[in-house]
Each structure stands twice: as structure tokens, then as C-alpha cells.
Amino acid sequence: MYKIMTPGPTQVRENVRMARSRECTNPDLDPAFYEYYKETCELISELLFTRNEAFILDGEGILGLEAACASLTEQGDKVLVVDNGIYGKGFADFVTMYGGQVTYYTAPYTKAIDLDEFEKYLENNHDFKYATLVHCDTPSGVLNPVEEMSRMLHRYGIMTIVDSVSGMFGEPIHVDEGQIDILCGGSQKALSAPPGLTFVTVSEKAMKTMEKRKTPIASFYANILVFKDYYKNQWFPYTMPISDIYGLRTALENVKAEQNSMWDRHAKMGEMTRTAVQEMGLELYLENGYSNTVTVIKVPEGMKASDILETMKKDYHIMIAGSFDVLTGQVIRIGHMGENANEDDVKETLEALKHTLEKLRS
């Protein structure tokens, strides 16, 4: 077995694994499970500092992103896609497949969005139904000021979808203060539950927009609106993955128990990792906007990312990650989010990386 120090999936605590082994009821028919699901959704909203309703969907984080776009987009809608990362640009695929017209706001992949420049852009470019933003763009590790950006967009009446799958619970995110209409999260990142679930918080404005559509949402599974009256009607649109939700609930309770120190722990591990890799003579990919959930490192001259990853696994039984798309082969990534963000595992990973580089240079 490998120690997984990747930027998701992450290590899973024993109490989360045990929660998933609980005896199952029939989630479609048992009123007690509707209460349990509702309470779990309310806990999500509480931890994300919002009065907006939350829904848990049966699918990995990508489902939440697609469902958000599918639920808001109608044919010909103008959508602003903020592109300063691979996942940021990738939002366009979901927008266009449901008939939206994309305008990109493109910025360097090595920096967080500059708020002054973004505000100047919006002064002359604000004819959009909604905008898509990424909190932490995992392939590059860049952290964007999405709360400030969302508030700017709201001043022009533009709704916002924010991907915080690999940001939330490792970096602060306040949905109501940020006026975020749909926030998307996932189970397998800093929350440290197994992969398989996504969840969204949905503002009243976003829900009313879905209800007032001229055309039906062009999906059943990637559709937030079908969850709207689940509790009143005691009806889920599909059978909920009960064991996954038991595990998710326990992971959320772990977060709540640690909430006051959680961000400090991530900040400490992020700073320690960035400092250590630079002391090894390595170069960080980013110029600014460092996330405390993942550190992205340029592959040293004369080495291959694949060799570093394979040596880490083979000789030290530690799994870190490469990247993909335009960053394929250029960087390696260490995930220090959720259960990964502890001093012992981070130090062991950094020590293994140091020895790996020495071996590959010899």
C-alpha cells in the first residue's frame, strides 16, 4: 500500500471508514434517512457559512460542476469563464454542451487573479448571465480570491458558480459573505472522505432562475432542480448512496470538531512544504497565489516527472502526483490537504522527495 500524498483523493480517517460500514436501510423509503440527509446538508451549509440550501449528489466532484452549469444554462446564454487554470478553462465544456456562449477572461496560469484588472474588465464587459470561478485550480495549485470576485460580479447582476472542490476546508470560503450563488465541493479532497460524492450550496436567486427557465434542464442526473422538494415530498430523484453519505457525515463532523484550528494547520503545512522544496533547490510553479492544500513544483532540468513519481512509489511507498493538459510532464504535485496535512506525513514525503532527487541525479 502507498501513502497517498496526492491533491485528492486523500487519506481517510478510521472513523470515516467505519461509518461507511454501518447497517443500511432503504434510503428511498425510510423517513429517518430523509432526516439524516437533511441534517447532513444543513451541516454542509453551516461549515461553509451560508444560509443557502445544500444538496448531496451521487457522483464525483465533476458532477457538481456539470450540474451547476446544466441547471443555469439555456440556449444562447452568455457566460463568463474565468480562465487562469486548467479547471477554470474546462468550465467552458460544461457551458457549451448545454447551449451557452462562452467568453473567456484569460489570465496567466502562474498567478492568482488580479482584482484590480478584473474590476477594470467588468466595467466594460458585464453582459453575462453567470460567471464560473475556481477557488483552487488543482493542476497548478493557484488560489483565487473568489469571494471578492463574486461580489464584483454581483454588482453587475452576474450570478456565480464557484468550484471549491480542492479549496474548501483547507482554505477559508464564506458563501454568504462572498455572495456565491452555487458553490461546488467534493468528498475526496480536504474533507478526506472517499471519492464518489459532490455537494452544492444553492442561493435563492439561482434556484428561482432554474424554476423560471423557458426550457427544461437538458439532463436528469446533472440537474440540481430535481432535488428542490425532496424533503417535503420524501422523494429522492434516484436511490442515494447511503454508505457514502454515512462516511461523508462523519468527515464533516471531523471538520466541525477542528474548525477553529483547521485553516492554521493547513497554512502551516503549506508554508513548510513550499519552504522545504525551495531549500532543496527546486522551483515552485507559481509566482503568487499559493494554496495551502497543494504545492506544485517544476520538474528539475534533466529529469522526468514520471521518474520522480515512480521512484517515490517504488522506493518510499509514497504517492505524489504529476499534472495534465498543458502541465503534463512539467510539474509534480504534493497534496497537503485534509488528513494529508499533518507534520509527520509531510516531513516523510519531503524527505523521500529529497532522497529521490539525489538518486536520480547520481
Side-chain angles (χ1 to χ4, degrees), residues 345-358:
D345 286 340
V346 170
K347 283 184 175 179
E348 183 181 349
T349 302
L350 292 167
E351 192 69 20
L353 178 60
K354 179 181 177 181
H355 292 315
T356 292
L357 297 174
E358 289 170 352

Side-chain angles (χ1 to χ4, degrees), residues 116-191:
D116 291 336
E117 292 298 320
F118 189 61
E119 188 165 32
K120 288 175 186 175
Y121 174 83
L122 290 177
E123 288 173 2
N124 298 309
N125 303 271
H126 48 255
D127 183 22
F128 304 109
K129 182 177 184 179
Y130 69 87
T132 63
L133 318 174
V134 176
H135 189 198
C136 171
D137 206 297
T138 330
S140 68
V142 70
L143 187 76
N144 288 312
V146 290
E147 291 183 38
E148 294 90 338
M149 295 167 70
S150 185
R151 287 194 291 268
M152 285 181 188
L153 289 156
H154 265 255
R155 289 201 286 271
Y156 294 100
I158 303 167
M159 291 185 292
T160 54
I161 296 173
V162 174
D163 167 5
S164 186
V165 172
S166 61
M168 64 171 61
F169 307 125
E171 291 282 357
I173 186 84
H174 298 78
V175 172
D176 286 354
E177 286 183 22
Q179 300 176 14
I180 296 167
D181 289 289
I182 301 180
L183 183 75
C184 304
S187 57
Q188 78 272 31
K189 301 285 187 172
L191 187 52

Side-chain angles (χ1 to χ4, degrees), residues 65-311:
L65 308 182
E66 181 176 342
C69 294
S71 300
L72 286 186
T73 309
E74 294 196 74
Q75 194 70 36
D77 283 344
K78 296 178 181 178
V79 178
L80 179 65
V81 170
V82 177
D83 165 28
N84 73 319
I86 292 166
Y87 282 168
K89 187 175 184 179
F91 254 122
D93 295 335
F94 300 131
V95 174
T96 55
M97 73 173 62
Y98 292 101
Q101 297 180 0
V102 168
T103 298
Y104 290 103
Y105 176 83
T106 300
Y109 281 23
T110 55
K111 300 178 182 179
I113 291 294
D114 184 298
L115 291 172
D116 291 336
E117 292 298 320
F118 189 61
E119 188 165 32
K120 288 175 186 175
Y121 174 83
L122 290 177
E123 288 173 2
N124 298 309
N125 303 271
H126 48 255
D127 183 22
F128 304 109
K129 182 177 184 179
Y130 69 87
T132 63
L133 318 174
V134 176
H135 189 198
C136 171
D137 206 297
T138 330
S140 68
V142 70
L143 187 76
N144 288 312
V146 290
E147 291 183 38
E148 294 90 338
M149 295 167 70
S150 185
R151 287 194 291 268
M152 285 181 188
L153 289 156
H154 265 255
R155 289 201 286 271
Y156 294 100
I158 303 167
M159 291 185 292
T160 54
I161 296 173
V162 174
D163 167 5
S164 186
V165 172
S166 61
M168 64 171 61
F169 307 125
E171 291 282 357
I173 186 84
H174 298 78
V175 172
D176 286 354
E177 286 183 22
Q179 300 176 14
I180 296 167
D181 289 289
I182 301 180
L183 183 75
C184 304
S187 57
Q188 78 272 31
K189 301 285 187 172
L191 187 52
S192 288
L197 294 178
T198 187
F199 43 90
V200 294
T201 66
V202 185
S203 72
E204 185 177 345
K205 181 178 180 180
M207 189 62 76
K208 286 182 177 178
T209 300
M210 297 174 204
E211 293 174 315
K212 293 178 180 179
R213 292 174 57 106
K214 298 183 180 69
T215 56
I217 295 171
S219 176
F220 182 82
Y221 210 70
N223 183 335
I224 296 171
L225 192 57
V226 293
F227 282 86
K228 179 176 181 289
D229 292 319
Y230 78 89
Y231 185 73
K232 181 176 74 175
N233 297 333
Q234 297 284 283
W235 179 86
F236 288 118
Y238 45 78
T239 301
M240 300 308 294
I242 182 170
S243 297
D244 290 345
I245 292 172
Y246 285 156
L248 183 78
R249 171 69 165 269
T250 300
L252 290 163
E253 290 168 350
N254 289 342
V255 167
K256 184 174 182 179
E258 195 210 356
Q259 195 170 16
N260 292 335
S261 60
M262 178 176 59
W263 294 327
D264 289 342
R265 173 169 60 89
H266 281 83
K268 181 180 177 182
M269 294 303 102
E271 179 63 28
M272 181 167 66
T273 304
R274 292 188 294 271
T275 299
V277 297
Q278 289 177 97
E279 287 176 351
M280 292 180 208
L282 299 172
E283 187 178 352
L284 300 174
Y285 174 71
L286 294 174
E287 297 175 42
N288 64 42
Y290 305 108
S291 174
N292 288 319
T293 61
V294 54
T295 293
V296 182
I297 307 156
K298 290 184 180 180
V299 174
E301 190 75 28
M303 291 190 190
K304 293 181 179 179
S306 56
D307 291 338
I308 298 171
L309 303 180
E310 187 59 31
T311 303

